[in-house]
């Protein structure tokens, strides 16, 4: 029995897409059992307790500039991180983290753009003294803000979700 695959162009992209769909199909079927195999309720409880204990940390304590206090974007970033609980596949869980990270970087870059506009307006009469930061936000800017988001999100089962991703995410990813 021939399936007509002779005419199909099997590019690397198509193979990767097919593998991702197959992985998603299988993981949806075995999600509960596979999550239980890596679930560590004790470590989840310890991590959640640490996050709650450290929730007193302020922007100042983490050296986060006040102009990054955008409650709307940070709340959305926290909610994206919390969505990891509802995901059934490793890729879906990684996508939640990526969305949260993306929102934090967007906030950092918006803040940097606002600062550049203010500097440009202040030094309009002195063009040689402009100090534009054309580079995107880096780890020194990102990490304190993302730590703050993770601490505030207080994602239950965060440890087990990380273990699930580590155990079941394809090494090709």
């Amino acid at each position: 029995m021939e399936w007509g695959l002779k005419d199909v162009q099997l590019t690397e992209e198509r193979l990767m897409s097919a593998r991702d769909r197959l992985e998603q199909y299988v993981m949806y079927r075995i999600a509960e059992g596979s999550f239980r195999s890596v679930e560590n309720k004790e470590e989840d409880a310890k991590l959640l307790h640490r996050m709650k204990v450290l929730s007193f940390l302020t922007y100042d304590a983490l050296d986060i500039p006040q102009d990054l206090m955008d409650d709307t974007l940070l709340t959305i970033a926290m909610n994206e991180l919390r969505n990891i609980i509802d995901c059934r596949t490793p890729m879906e869980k990684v996508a939640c983290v990526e969305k949260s990270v993306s929102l934090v970087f967007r906030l950092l870059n918006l803040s940097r753009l606002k600062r550049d506009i203010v500097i440009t307006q202040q030094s309009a009469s002195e063009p040689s003294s402009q100090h534009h930061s054309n580079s995107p936000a880096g780890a020194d800017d990102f990490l304190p803000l993302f730590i703050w988001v993770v601490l505030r999100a207080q994602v239950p089962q965060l440890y087990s979700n990380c273990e699930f991703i580590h155990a079941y995410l394809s090494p090709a990813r």
Side-chain angles (χ1 to χ4, degrees):
M1 177 176 180
E2 194 166 318
W3 289 50
L5 290 176
K6 189 169 35 174
D7 299 327
V8 176
Q9 292 288 330
L10 292 178
T11 63
E12 188 68 32
E13 185 178 320
R14 281 188 176 189
L15 285 172
M16 189 72 86
S17 176
R19 196 202 65 213
D20 289 346
R21 288 185 181 147
L22 181 59
E23 178 182 286
Q24 184 177 18
Y25 176 81
V26 170
M27 289 308 295
Y28 264 91
R29 299 295 183 270
I30 65 168
E32 288 180 31
S34 58
F35 187 80
R36 269 189 260 122
S37 74
V38 296
E39 187 175 32
N40 189 329
K41 292 180 182 182
E42 184 179 321
E43 289 299 324
D44 283 330
K46 284 181 190 177
L47 182 57
L48 186 59
H49 176 73
R50 285 185 201 128
M51 287 187 288
K52 287 179 180 180
V53 166
L54 293 172
S55 67
F56 73 90
L57 289 174
T58 63
Y59 276 14
D60 293 334
L62 293 171
D63 291 329
I64 300 171
Q66 292 295 320
D67 62 333
L68 293 175
M69 292 181 67
D70 184 328
D71 289 339
T72 304
L73 273 178
L74 291 173
T75 299
I76 294 169
M78 286 183 260
N79 288 336
E80 286 296 339
L81 203 53
R82 287 182 192 120
N83 287 339
I84 200 171
I85 297 166
D86 299 324
C87 297
R88 298 174 66 89
T89 70
M91 283 300 294
E92 289 175 347
K93 291 177 184 290
V94 168
C96 289
V97 176
E98 286 176 343
K99 288 176 188 174
S100 181
V101 165
S102 175
L103 286 163
V104 171
F105 269 114
R106 192 171 304 155
L107 176 59
L108 289 166
N109 289 327
L110 283 172
S111 173
R112 184 170 289 208
L113 182 63
K114 286 179 190 176
R115 278 187 236 142
D116 285 350
I117 290 170
V118 169
I119 289 171
T120 301
Q121 290 171 347
Q122 290 174 349
S123 62
S125 60
E126 307 165 22
S128 62
S129 66
Q130 292 182 4
H131 302 289
H132 291 281
S133 53
N134 293 330
S135 62
D140 290 341
D141 303 318
F142 167 77
L143 195 56
L145 190 56
F146 192 64
I147 288 170
W148 190 87
V149 166
V150 171
L151 290 175
R152 289 291 192 273
Q154 295 183 3
V155 179
Q157 296 182 313
L158 182 59
Y159 181 87
S160 292
N161 276 286
C162 291
E163 289 296 311
F164 178 82
I165 292 168
H166 179 73
Y168 293 105
L169 185 65
S170 169
R173 290 290 184 189

